[in-house]
Amino acid sequence: MKTIFEKSNGTESITLTDKNTQVNFLDKDFLRINEIGLPQLGELEVMRHYKELSDRNFCIEKGFYPLGSCTMKYNPKVNELLASLEGFTSLHPETADDNCQGALELMYRLQEALKKITGMSAVTLQPAAGAHGELTGMMIIKKYFESISDKRTKVLIPDSAHGTNPASAHMCGFDIVPVKSNDKGQVDIEHLKSLLDKDVAAIMMTNPNTLGLYEENVLQISKLMHDNGSLLYYDGANFNAIMGYTNPRLMGFDVVHVNLHKTFATPHGGGGPGAGPVGVADRLKEFLPVPVISFDGKKYFRDYSLKNSIGSVRSFYGNFGVLVRAYAYILMMGDNLKCATENAVLNANYIKEKLKPYYDLPYDVPCMHEFVLSGERQKEHGVSTLHIAKRLMDENTHPPTVYFPLIVHEAIMIEPTESETKQKLDEFIEVMIKIAEEVKQNPAVALSSPHKTPVKKVDETLAARHPDLTYKETVGE
Ligand SMILES: *Cc1c(COP(=O)(O)O)cnc(C)c1O
Protein backbone atom coordinates (compact mmCIF):
# COMPACT_ATOMS: atom_id res chain seq x y z
CA MET A 1 0.00 0.00 0.00
CA LYS A 2 1.28 3.44 -0.90
CA THR A 3 1.80 6.06 1.77
CA ILE A 4 -0.26 9.21 1.73
CA PHE A 5 2.84 11.09 0.62
CA GLU A 6 3.17 8.86 -2.42
CA LYS A 7 -0.51 9.30 -3.20
CA SER A 8 -0.22 13.08 -3.05
CA ASN A 9 -1.50 14.46 -6.38
CA GLY A 10 -1.07 18.17 -5.87
CA THR A 11 -4.72 18.95 -5.19
CA GLU A 12 -4.81 22.52 -3.92
CA SER A 13 -6.04 22.47 -0.38
CA ILE A 14 -5.66 24.90 2.47
CA THR A 15 -2.55 26.95 2.97
CA LEU A 16 -1.53 27.37 6.54
CA THR A 17 0.26 30.67 6.16
CA ASP A 18 -0.18 33.44 3.68
CA LYS A 19 3.18 34.07 2.02
CA ASN A 20 2.48 37.80 2.09
CA THR A 21 2.02 37.91 5.82
CA GLN A 22 5.03 39.12 7.73
CA VAL A 23 5.72 36.78 10.61
CA ASN A 24 8.05 39.13 12.38
CA PHE A 25 7.16 38.37 15.98
CA LEU A 26 9.20 35.13 15.85
CA ASP A 27 12.96 34.91 15.81
CA LYS A 28 14.09 34.35 12.21
CA ASP A 29 15.94 31.19 13.25
CA PHE A 30 12.64 29.59 14.14
CA LEU A 31 11.05 30.14 10.77
CA ARG A 32 10.78 27.37 8.20
CA ILE A 33 12.91 27.95 5.13
CA ASN A 34 11.59 25.17 2.91
CA GLU A 35 8.11 24.17 1.90
CA ILE A 36 6.48 22.06 4.61
CA GLY A 37 5.80 19.26 2.09
CA LEU A 38 2.44 18.06 3.35
CA PRO A 39 0.67 15.63 1.02
CA GLN A 40 -2.01 17.24 -1.14
CA LEU A 41 -5.14 15.23 -1.83
CA GLY A 42 -8.88 15.74 -1.99
CA GLU A 43 -11.04 14.84 0.98
CA LEU A 44 -12.37 11.64 -0.62
CA GLU A 45 -8.87 10.32 -1.35
CA VAL A 46 -7.86 11.07 2.22
CA MET A 47 -10.91 9.24 3.58
CA ARG A 48 -10.23 6.20 1.38
CA HIS A 49 -6.62 6.11 2.45
CA TYR A 50 -7.35 6.05 6.17
CA LYS A 51 -10.31 3.70 5.80
CA GLU A 52 -8.06 1.23 3.99
CA LEU A 53 -5.47 1.54 6.76
CA SER A 54 -8.07 1.00 9.47
CA ASP A 55 -9.44 -2.04 7.62
CA ARG A 56 -6.04 -3.66 8.04
CA ASN A 57 -6.38 -3.61 11.81
CA PHE A 58 -7.88 -6.50 13.68
CA CYS A 59 -10.33 -5.68 16.45
CA ILE A 60 -13.00 -7.34 18.56
CA GLU A 61 -15.68 -5.91 16.25
CA LYS A 62 -14.08 -7.88 13.40
CA GLY A 63 -13.57 -11.31 14.92
CA PHE A 64 -12.77 -13.58 17.87
CA TYR A 65 -9.95 -12.28 20.07
CA PRO A 66 -8.93 -14.98 22.59
CA LEU A 67 -5.78 -13.20 23.78
CA GLY A 68 -5.00 -14.84 27.14
CA SER A 69 -4.60 -12.56 30.15
CA CYS A 70 -5.66 -9.52 28.11
CA THR A 71 -9.46 -9.87 28.45
CA MET A 72 -10.40 -8.58 25.02
CA LYS A 73 -14.08 -8.48 25.83
CA TYR A 74 -16.56 -6.34 23.93
CA ASN A 75 -16.76 -2.76 25.15
CA PRO A 76 -20.39 -1.63 24.85
CA LYS A 77 -20.72 1.47 22.67
CA VAL A 78 -22.96 3.18 25.20
CA ASN A 79 -19.83 3.62 27.35
CA GLU A 80 -18.28 5.59 24.50
CA LEU A 81 -21.38 7.70 24.08
CA LEU A 82 -21.42 8.65 27.76
CA ALA A 83 -17.69 9.37 27.90
CA SER A 84 -18.05 11.71 24.95
CA LEU A 85 -20.75 13.89 26.55
CA GLU A 86 -19.62 17.46 26.24
CA GLY A 87 -19.88 18.12 29.95
CA PHE A 88 -17.14 15.54 30.44
CA THR A 89 -14.95 16.15 27.41
CA SER A 90 -14.77 19.93 27.77
CA LEU A 91 -14.03 19.89 31.49
CA HIS A 92 -10.63 21.34 32.35
CA PRO A 93 -8.64 19.30 34.90
CA GLU A 94 -7.93 22.45 36.92
CA THR A 95 -11.63 23.33 37.28
CA ALA A 96 -12.42 24.26 40.89
CA ASP A 97 -14.22 21.55 42.93
CA ASP A 98 -17.38 23.68 43.16
CA ASN A 99 -17.65 23.79 39.38
CA CYS A 100 -17.22 20.09 38.66
CA GLN A 101 -19.31 18.41 41.34
CA GLY A 102 -20.76 15.97 38.78
CA ALA A 103 -17.39 14.67 37.64
CA LEU A 104 -16.16 14.40 41.24
CA GLU A 105 -19.32 12.57 42.24
CA LEU A 106 -18.80 10.10 39.40
CA MET A 107 -15.24 9.42 40.57
CA TYR A 108 -16.35 9.12 44.19
CA ARG A 109 -19.08 6.65 43.26
CA LEU A 110 -16.64 4.64 41.16
CA GLN A 111 -14.27 4.48 44.14
CA GLU A 112 -17.18 3.24 46.27
CA ALA A 113 -18.17 0.62 43.68
CA LEU A 114 -14.61 -0.65 43.43
CA LYS A 115 -14.39 -0.78 47.24
CA LYS A 116 -17.41 -3.04 47.22
CA ILE A 117 -16.15 -5.21 44.36
CA THR A 118 -12.64 -5.66 45.82
CA GLY A 119 -13.65 -5.63 49.49
CA MET A 120 -10.98 -3.01 50.22
CA SER A 121 -11.30 0.01 52.54
CA ALA A 122 -10.09 2.76 50.20
CA VAL A 123 -9.35 3.16 46.49
CA THR A 124 -7.27 5.46 44.29
CA LEU A 125 -8.23 5.93 40.64
CA GLN A 126 -4.95 7.57 39.64
CA PRO A 127 -2.77 4.81 38.13
CA ALA A 128 -2.98 4.76 34.34
CA ALA A 129 -2.49 1.02 33.79
CA GLY A 130 -2.29 -2.33 35.54
CA ALA A 131 1.49 -2.29 35.86
CA HIS A 132 1.27 1.31 37.06
CA GLY A 133 -1.17 0.13 39.74
CA GLU A 134 1.34 -2.54 40.77
CA LEU A 135 4.06 0.08 41.09
CA THR A 136 1.73 2.29 43.13
CA GLY A 137 0.84 -0.64 45.39
CA MET A 138 4.47 -1.57 45.93
CA MET A 139 5.32 2.08 46.73
CA ILE A 140 2.56 2.00 49.36
CA ILE A 141 3.97 -1.23 50.84
CA LYS A 142 7.45 0.26 50.88
CA LYS A 143 6.30 3.42 52.62
CA TYR A 144 4.30 1.40 55.14
CA PHE A 145 7.41 -0.48 56.26
CA GLU A 146 9.41 2.76 56.35
CA SER A 147 6.73 4.29 58.58
CA ILE A 148 7.17 1.52 61.15
CA SER A 149 10.97 1.56 60.73
CA ASP A 150 11.03 -2.01 59.50
CA LYS A 151 13.69 -2.54 56.86
CA ARG A 152 12.36 -5.19 54.51
CA THR A 153 14.04 -5.75 51.16
CA LYS A 154 12.52 -8.80 49.52
CA VAL A 155 9.33 -9.52 47.59
CA LEU A 156 8.25 -13.09 46.87
CA ILE A 157 6.73 -13.75 43.45
CA PRO A 158 5.38 -17.14 42.31
CA ASP A 159 6.71 -18.34 38.94
CA SER A 160 3.08 -18.45 37.78
CA ALA A 161 2.60 -14.69 38.32
CA HIS A 162 2.19 -12.15 35.54
CA GLY A 163 5.49 -10.86 34.14
CA THR A 164 4.81 -7.29 35.19
CA ASN A 165 4.81 -8.28 38.90
CA PRO A 166 8.58 -8.79 39.30
CA ALA A 167 9.24 -5.76 37.08
CA SER A 168 7.08 -3.48 39.26
CA ALA A 169 8.55 -4.70 42.55
CA HIS A 170 12.06 -4.38 41.17
CA MET A 171 11.43 -0.82 39.96
CA CYS A 172 10.41 -0.04 43.50
CA GLY A 173 13.80 -1.19 44.74
CA PHE A 174 12.86 -4.62 46.11
CA ASP A 175 14.85 -7.82 45.54
CA ILE A 176 12.75 -10.45 43.77
CA VAL A 177 12.61 -13.99 45.14
CA PRO A 178 10.78 -16.48 42.90
CA VAL A 179 8.46 -19.08 44.49
CA LYS A 180 8.08 -22.39 42.67
CA SER A 181 4.83 -23.93 41.51
CA ASN A 182 4.05 -27.55 42.28
CA ASP A 183 2.88 -30.13 39.73
CA LYS A 184 -0.72 -28.95 40.13
CA GLY A 185 0.23 -25.44 39.04
CA GLN A 186 -0.27 -24.11 42.57
CA VAL A 187 2.18 -22.20 44.78
CA ASP A 188 4.50 -24.73 46.44
CA ILE A 189 3.75 -24.03 50.11
CA GLU A 190 6.85 -25.80 51.44
CA HIS A 191 9.05 -23.73 49.16
CA LEU A 192 7.24 -20.59 50.23
CA LYS A 193 7.79 -21.42 53.93
CA SER A 194 11.50 -21.97 53.33
CA LEU A 195 11.78 -18.44 51.90
CA LEU A 196 10.07 -16.59 54.73
CA ASP A 197 12.24 -14.42 56.94
CA LYS A 198 12.11 -10.92 58.39
CA ASP A 199 13.44 -9.40 55.15
CA VAL A 200 10.29 -10.36 53.26
CA ALA A 201 8.09 -7.30 52.75
CA ALA A 202 5.38 -8.91 50.66
CA ILE A 203 4.23 -11.54 48.22
CA MET A 204 2.74 -10.48 44.88
CA MET A 205 0.21 -12.98 43.66
CA THR A 206 -1.77 -13.21 40.49
CA ASN A 207 -4.91 -15.14 41.39
CA PRO A 208 -6.11 -16.88 39.33
CA ASN A 209 -2.50 -17.33 38.28
CA THR A 210 -1.31 -17.18 34.67
CA LEU A 211 -2.31 -20.82 34.20
CA GLY A 212 -5.87 -19.65 34.81
CA LEU A 213 -5.94 -21.63 38.08
CA TYR A 214 -7.31 -20.44 41.39
CA GLU A 215 -4.81 -20.74 44.26
CA GLU A 216 -6.48 -23.25 46.54
CA ASN A 217 -4.22 -22.50 49.50
CA VAL A 218 -4.58 -18.76 49.37
CA LEU A 219 -5.88 -18.52 52.96
CA GLN A 220 -2.95 -20.53 54.26
CA ILE A 221 -0.59 -18.30 52.28
CA SER A 222 -2.08 -15.10 53.69
CA LYS A 223 -1.80 -16.48 57.23
CA LEU A 224 1.84 -17.46 56.68
CA MET A 225 2.65 -14.01 55.31
CA HIS A 226 0.86 -12.04 58.02
CA ASP A 227 2.37 -14.20 60.78
CA ASN A 228 5.71 -13.20 59.30
CA GLY A 229 4.77 -9.50 59.46
CA SER A 230 4.61 -9.37 55.64
CA LEU A 231 1.89 -7.97 53.37
CA LEU A 232 0.09 -9.46 50.39
CA TYR A 233 -0.38 -7.83 46.99
CA TYR A 234 -3.15 -9.08 44.70
CA ASP A 235 -2.80 -8.65 40.95
CA GLY A 236 -6.48 -8.28 40.05
CA ALA A 237 -6.02 -7.44 36.37
CA ASN A 238 -8.16 -10.47 35.56
CA PHE A 239 -10.94 -9.76 38.02
CA ASN A 240 -13.54 -11.13 35.62
CA ALA A 241 -12.49 -14.55 36.98
CA ILE A 242 -13.81 -13.90 40.50
CA MET A 243 -15.99 -10.77 40.42
CA GLY A 244 -19.02 -11.10 42.68
CA TYR A 245 -17.95 -14.53 43.96
CA THR A 246 -15.06 -13.64 46.20
CA ASN A 247 -12.63 -10.78 46.67
CA PRO A 248 -9.04 -10.16 47.73
CA ARG A 249 -10.13 -8.94 51.17
CA LEU A 250 -11.77 -12.30 51.92
CA MET A 251 -8.56 -13.99 50.81
CA GLY A 252 -6.51 -11.85 53.20
CA PHE A 253 -4.83 -9.44 50.79
CA ASP A 254 -3.74 -5.93 51.77
CA VAL A 255 -3.37 -4.25 48.37
CA VAL A 256 -5.01 -4.93 45.01
CA HIS A 257 -5.14 -3.37 41.58
CA VAL A 258 -7.82 -3.93 38.96
CA ASN A 259 -7.69 -3.12 35.26
CA LEU A 260 -10.65 -1.01 34.17
CA HIS A 261 -9.43 -1.59 30.62
CA LYS A 262 -10.00 -5.31 30.94
CA THR A 263 -12.65 -6.37 33.44
CA PHE A 264 -14.66 -3.15 33.27
CA ALA A 265 -15.04 -2.96 29.52
CA THR A 266 -13.05 0.08 28.53
CA PRO A 267 -11.01 -0.15 25.32
CA HIS A 268 -7.38 -1.18 25.40
CA GLY A 269 -4.49 -2.13 23.23
CA GLY A 270 -2.04 0.06 21.40
CA GLY A 271 -0.72 1.58 24.61
CA GLY A 272 -3.73 3.12 26.27
CA PRO A 273 -5.17 5.11 27.82
CA GLY A 274 -6.19 2.73 30.57
CA ALA A 275 -6.70 2.80 34.31
CA GLY A 276 -5.41 0.56 37.09
CA PRO A 277 -7.15 1.67 40.31
CA VAL A 278 -5.60 0.40 43.54
CA GLY A 279 -7.53 -0.65 46.64
CA VAL A 280 -5.96 -1.00 50.08
CA ALA A 281 -6.84 -2.40 53.49
CA ASP A 282 -7.61 -0.04 56.34
CA ARG A 283 -4.10 0.24 57.76
CA LEU A 284 -2.72 1.37 54.38
CA LYS A 285 -5.32 4.08 53.66
CA GLU A 286 -3.14 7.00 54.65
CA PHE A 287 -0.44 5.99 52.13
CA LEU A 288 -2.60 6.30 49.00
CA PRO A 289 -1.60 8.79 46.32
CA VAL A 290 -3.30 12.20 46.50
CA PRO A 291 -5.76 13.50 45.66
CA VAL A 292 -8.40 10.93 46.51
CA ILE A 293 -11.99 12.00 45.97
CA SER A 294 -13.84 12.57 49.27
CA PHE A 295 -17.37 13.58 50.25
CA ASP A 296 -18.17 15.60 53.38
CA GLY A 297 -21.93 15.00 53.24
CA LYS A 298 -22.56 18.08 51.11
CA LYS A 299 -19.71 18.41 48.68
CA TYR A 300 -17.34 16.24 46.73
CA PHE A 301 -13.75 17.41 46.82
CA ARG A 302 -10.19 16.51 45.91
CA ASP A 303 -8.65 15.46 49.17
CA TYR A 304 -4.94 16.11 49.71
CA SER A 305 -5.00 15.51 53.46
CA LEU A 306 -3.67 11.95 53.65
CA LYS A 307 -0.93 11.89 56.28
CA ASN A 308 1.56 9.51 54.75
CA SER A 309 0.68 9.76 51.06
CA ILE A 310 3.28 8.45 48.62
CA GLY A 311 2.55 11.60 46.56
CA SER A 312 0.93 11.67 43.12
CA VAL A 313 1.56 8.95 40.57
CA ARG A 314 -0.21 10.64 37.68
CA SER A 315 -1.09 14.20 36.73
CA PHE A 316 -4.43 15.34 38.19
CA TYR A 317 -6.51 12.25 39.06
CA GLY A 318 -5.93 9.67 36.30
CA ASN A 319 -7.55 9.01 32.94
CA PHE A 320 -10.98 10.47 33.48
CA GLY A 321 -12.55 9.26 30.21
CA VAL A 322 -11.71 5.67 31.13
CA LEU A 323 -13.29 6.17 34.55
CA VAL A 324 -16.55 7.33 32.94
CA ARG A 325 -16.68 4.25 30.71
CA ALA A 326 -16.00 1.86 33.61
CA TYR A 327 -18.59 3.55 35.82
CA ALA A 328 -21.18 3.28 33.04
CA TYR A 329 -20.38 -0.41 32.63
CA ILE A 330 -20.65 -1.14 36.37
CA LEU A 331 -23.97 0.71 36.65
CA MET A 332 -25.36 -1.01 33.59
CA MET A 333 -24.36 -4.46 34.86
CA GLY A 334 -25.25 -4.04 38.54
CA ASP A 335 -25.58 -7.45 40.21
CA ASN A 336 -25.07 -9.02 36.81
CA LEU A 337 -21.32 -8.40 37.12
CA LYS A 338 -21.48 -11.82 38.69
CA CYS A 339 -22.92 -13.23 35.45
CA ALA A 340 -19.97 -11.83 33.50
CA THR A 341 -17.70 -13.91 35.74
CA GLU A 342 -19.91 -16.99 35.34
CA ASN A 343 -19.86 -16.79 31.57
CA ALA A 344 -16.14 -15.97 31.35
CA VAL A 345 -15.33 -19.07 33.42
CA LEU A 346 -17.89 -21.27 31.65
CA ASN A 347 -16.66 -20.26 28.19
CA ALA A 348 -13.02 -20.99 29.07
CA ASN A 349 -13.85 -24.40 30.50
CA TYR A 350 -16.06 -25.25 27.52
CA ILE A 351 -13.28 -24.59 25.00
CA LYS A 352 -10.71 -26.36 27.20
CA GLU A 353 -12.77 -29.54 27.39
CA LYS A 354 -13.48 -29.54 23.65
CA LEU A 355 -9.84 -29.01 22.69
CA LYS A 356 -8.08 -31.32 25.10
CA PRO A 357 -8.30 -34.41 22.87
CA TYR A 358 -6.42 -32.45 20.18
CA TYR A 359 -3.79 -30.46 22.09
CA ASP A 360 -1.77 -31.20 25.23
CA LEU A 361 -3.29 -29.77 28.39
CA PRO A 362 -0.53 -29.75 31.02
CA TYR A 363 -2.84 -28.84 33.92
CA ASP A 364 -6.02 -30.82 33.37
CA VAL A 365 -8.20 -29.28 36.09
CA PRO A 366 -11.15 -26.85 36.06
CA CYS A 367 -9.87 -23.40 35.11
CA MET A 368 -11.12 -19.91 35.79
CA HIS A 369 -11.34 -17.31 32.98
CA GLU A 370 -8.54 -18.78 30.85
CA PHE A 371 -6.48 -21.92 30.33
CA VAL A 372 -3.13 -22.89 28.85
CA LEU A 373 -2.62 -25.54 26.17
CA SER A 374 0.75 -26.78 25.00
CA GLY A 375 1.72 -27.17 21.34
CA GLU A 376 4.21 -30.00 22.16
CA ARG A 377 2.23 -32.61 20.19
CA GLN A 378 2.17 -30.39 17.09
CA LYS A 379 5.89 -29.68 17.50
CA GLU A 380 6.54 -33.34 16.61
CA HIS A 381 5.35 -32.47 13.10
CA GLY A 382 7.67 -29.47 13.00
CA VAL A 383 4.87 -26.98 13.67
CA SER A 384 5.44 -24.78 16.70
CA THR A 385 3.02 -22.70 18.72
CA LEU A 386 4.11 -19.62 16.80
CA HIS A 387 3.00 -21.24 13.52
CA ILE A 388 -0.36 -22.20 15.01
CA ALA A 389 -0.84 -18.62 16.16
CA LYS A 390 -0.07 -17.31 12.66
CA ARG A 391 -2.31 -19.94 11.09
CA LEU A 392 -5.23 -18.65 13.17
CA MET A 393 -4.85 -15.22 11.58
CA ASP A 394 -6.04 -16.72 8.28
CA GLU A 395 -9.25 -17.74 10.06
CA ASN A 396 -10.25 -14.23 11.10
CA THR A 397 -9.10 -14.95 14.64
CA HIS A 398 -6.63 -12.98 16.70
CA PRO A 399 -3.78 -15.26 17.87
CA PRO A 400 -3.92 -16.26 21.53
CA THR A 401 -1.13 -15.25 23.92
CA VAL A 402 1.79 -17.58 23.19
CA TYR A 403 4.95 -18.77 25.01
CA PHE A 404 3.53 -17.44 28.27
CA PRO A 405 3.49 -18.46 31.08
CA LEU A 406 7.07 -19.64 30.87
CA ILE A 407 6.38 -22.75 32.97
CA VAL A 408 4.50 -24.36 30.03
CA HIS A 409 6.45 -25.38 26.92
CA GLU A 410 4.96 -24.12 23.66
CA ALA A 411 2.24 -22.39 25.69
CA ILE A 412 -1.04 -21.32 24.04
CA MET A 413 -3.05 -19.24 26.49
CA ILE A 414 -6.71 -18.87 25.60
CA GLU A 415 -9.18 -16.43 27.16
CA PRO A 416 -12.50 -16.29 25.31
CA THR A 417 -14.13 -13.74 27.71
CA GLU A 418 -17.86 -13.69 28.49
CA SER A 419 -18.98 -11.62 25.50
CA GLU A 420 -18.94 -14.46 22.95
CA THR A 421 -21.89 -16.62 21.95
CA LYS A 422 -21.74 -20.41 22.04
CA GLN A 423 -21.86 -20.32 18.25
CA LYS A 424 -18.66 -18.27 18.11
CA LEU A 425 -16.93 -20.54 20.62
CA ASP A 426 -17.91 -23.57 18.50
CA GLU A 427 -16.52 -21.90 15.38
CA PHE A 428 -13.21 -21.34 17.15
CA ILE A 429 -13.13 -24.92 18.45
CA GLU A 430 -13.75 -26.17 14.92
CA VAL A 431 -10.92 -24.05 13.56
CA MET A 432 -8.51 -25.25 16.25
CA ILE A 433 -9.42 -28.89 15.54
CA LYS A 434 -9.02 -28.32 11.81
CA ILE A 435 -5.54 -26.89 12.40
CA ALA A 436 -4.57 -29.84 14.64
CA GLU A 437 -5.59 -32.29 11.87
CA GLU A 438 -3.95 -30.22 9.16
CA VAL A 439 -0.65 -30.15 11.11
CA LYS A 440 -0.58 -33.95 10.87
CA GLN A 441 -1.60 -34.19 7.18
CA ASN A 442 0.02 -31.15 5.70
CA PRO A 443 2.23 -29.14 8.07
CA ALA A 444 3.36 -26.90 5.20
CA VAL A 445 0.15 -24.87 5.44
CA ALA A 446 0.78 -23.77 9.03
CA LEU A 447 4.50 -23.37 8.40
CA SER A 448 3.90 -20.79 5.66
CA SER A 449 1.01 -18.94 7.35
CA PRO A 450 -0.44 -16.38 7.35
CA HIS A 451 -1.62 -16.22 3.75
CA LYS A 452 -4.60 -13.87 3.92
CA THR A 453 -3.31 -10.98 6.02
CA PRO A 454 -2.08 -7.70 4.48
CA VAL A 455 1.45 -8.52 5.71
CA LYS A 456 2.34 -12.16 5.09
CA LYS A 457 4.94 -14.26 6.90
CA VAL A 458 7.70 -12.10 8.34
CA ASP A 459 11.20 -13.03 9.40
CA GLU A 460 10.72 -12.96 13.20
CA THR A 461 14.42 -12.83 14.01
CA LEU A 462 15.16 -10.05 11.58
CA ALA A 463 12.09 -8.12 12.75
CA ALA A 464 13.18 -8.40 16.38
CA ARG A 465 16.92 -7.81 15.95
CA HIS A 466 16.95 -5.28 13.14
CA PRO A 467 13.61 -3.54 13.14
CA ASP A 468 13.39 -1.11 10.25
CA LEU A 469 11.12 1.63 11.49
CA THR A 470 11.94 4.39 9.06
CA TYR A 471 10.07 4.93 5.86
CA LYS A 472 12.14 4.93 2.71
CA GLU A 473 10.51 6.09 -0.47
CA THR A 474 12.08 3.28 -2.50
CA VAL A 475 10.36 0.57 -0.42
CA GLY A 476 7.08 -0.48 -2.02
CA GLU A 477 4.56 -2.63 -0.11
C1 LIG B 1 -2.70 -7.10 31.74
C2 LIG B 1 -2.15 -7.57 33.02
C3 LIG B 1 -1.29 -6.75 33.77
C4 LIG B 1 -0.75 -5.42 33.29
O1 LIG B 1 -1.73 -4.48 32.95
P1 LIG B 1 -1.35 -3.25 31.99
O2 LIG B 1 -2.53 -2.37 32.02
O3 LIG B 1 -1.08 -3.84 30.65
O4 LIG B 1 -0.13 -2.59 32.56
C5 LIG B 1 -0.87 -7.22 35.00
N1 LIG B 1 -1.24 -8.42 35.46
C6 LIG B 1 -2.06 -9.24 34.75
C7 LIG B 1 -2.47 -10.57 35.33
C8 LIG B 1 -2.54 -8.84 33.51
O5 LIG B 1 -3.33 -9.66 32.80
Side-chain angles (χ1 to χ4, degrees), residues 85-382:
L85 290 177
E86 209 203 327
F88 290 138
T89 54
S90 60
L91 198 56
H92 193 280
E94 298 274 32
T95 306
D97 289 349
D98 278 342
N99 298 333
C100 59
Q101 284 293 297
L104 292 176
E105 181 175 353
L106 184 145
M107 285 192 281
Y108 179 83
R109 286 179 178 230
L110 179 59
Q111 284 175 185
E112 292 300 302
L114 294 174
K115 272 161 67 175
K116 196 162 178 193
I117 292 167
T118 61
M120 292 291 154
S121 301
V123 164
T124 170
L125 303 173
Q126 257 186 31
H132 194 195
E134 292 167 29
L135 180 67
T136 305
M138 294 320 282
M139 287 166 75
I140 289 172
I141 289 173
K142 191 162 192 186
K143 188 126 188 198
Y144 165 76
F145 283 111
E146 276 168 19
S147 78
I148 55 170
S149 305
D150 190 348
K151 276 204 158 72
R152 296 196 179 226
T153 52
K154 294 193 281 194
V155 169
L156 308 185
I157 303 188
D159 57 12
S160 59
H162 196 263
T164 49
N165 294 183
S168 304
H170 182 72
M171 274 191 79
C172 212
F174 287 110
D175 297 326
I176 310 304
V177 184
V179 189
K180 284 189 212 135
S181 303
N182 62 23
D183 55 5
K184 284 159 73 194
Q186 303 273 327
V187 169
D188 182 333
I189 299 282
E190 292 312 312
H191 188 227
L192 173 71
K193 282 186 190 162
S194 74
L195 299 172
L196 282 178
D197 60 29
K198 294 295 170 198
D199 287 336
V200 174
I203 188 168
M204 282 184 98
M205 284 180 69
T206 306
N207 188 24
N209 62 32
T210 53
L211 294 165
L213 305 181
Y214 189 83
E215 291 289 349
E216 288 164 12
N217 300 315
V218 67
L219 290 176
Q220 191 188 352
I221 295 172
S222 65
K223 180 155 188 338
L224 283 169
M225 297 306 294
H226 285 147
D227 287 350
N228 190 54
S230 314
L231 296 177
L232 290 97
Y233 184 96
Y234 187 97
D235 179 336
N238 301 147
F239 225 78
N240 46 311
I242 62 158
M243 193 162 50
Y245 277 86
T246 181
N247 67 49
R249 186 75 207 128
L250 295 171
M251 299 176 213
F253 284 81
D254 304 284
V255 188
V256 52
H257 87 264
V258 293
N259 278 30
L260 298 188
H261 52 286
K262 283 182 184 168
T263 313
F264 300 99
T266 76
H268 61 297
V278 171
V280 293
D282 212 39
R283 64 172 154 167
L284 298 176
K285 260 164 124 163
E286 62 184 76
F287 300 96
L288 284 176
V290 286
V292 288
I293 312 302
S294 296
F295 181 54
D296 64 10
K298 282 204 197 99
K299 232 179 80 172
Y300 299 91
F301 62 101
R302 277 164 277 202
D303 188 351
Y304 290 87
S305 70
L306 304 186
K307 260 204 319 242
N308 266 320
S309 170
I310 57 165
S312 287
V313 294
R314 178 82 171 73
S315 50
F316 308 112
Y317 34 66
N319 286 329
F320 181 70
V322 176
L323 307 181
V324 177
R325 291 172 174 90
Y327 184 61
Y329 177 75
I330 290 172
L331 277 193
M332 194 165 54
M333 294 291 282
D335 286 345
N336 287 334
L337 283 174
K338 212 173 161 175
C339 302
T341 299
E342 280 166 18
N343 286 327
V345 172
L346 180 63
N347 288 357
N349 278 287
Y350 179 68
I351 300 181
K352 169 173 69 67
E353 289 304 308
K354 291 280 187 183
L355 289 185
K356 81 181 188 196
Y358 304 91
Y359 294 84
D360 289 352
L361 177 66
Y363 300 93
D364 187 1
V365 285
C367 64
M368 302 299 286
H369 64 302
E370 66 190 3
F371 64 98
V372 182
L373 296 173
S374 164
E376 288 277 31
R377 206 184 302 176
Q378 286 67 32
K379 195 85 194 268
E380 284 163 26
H381 300 274

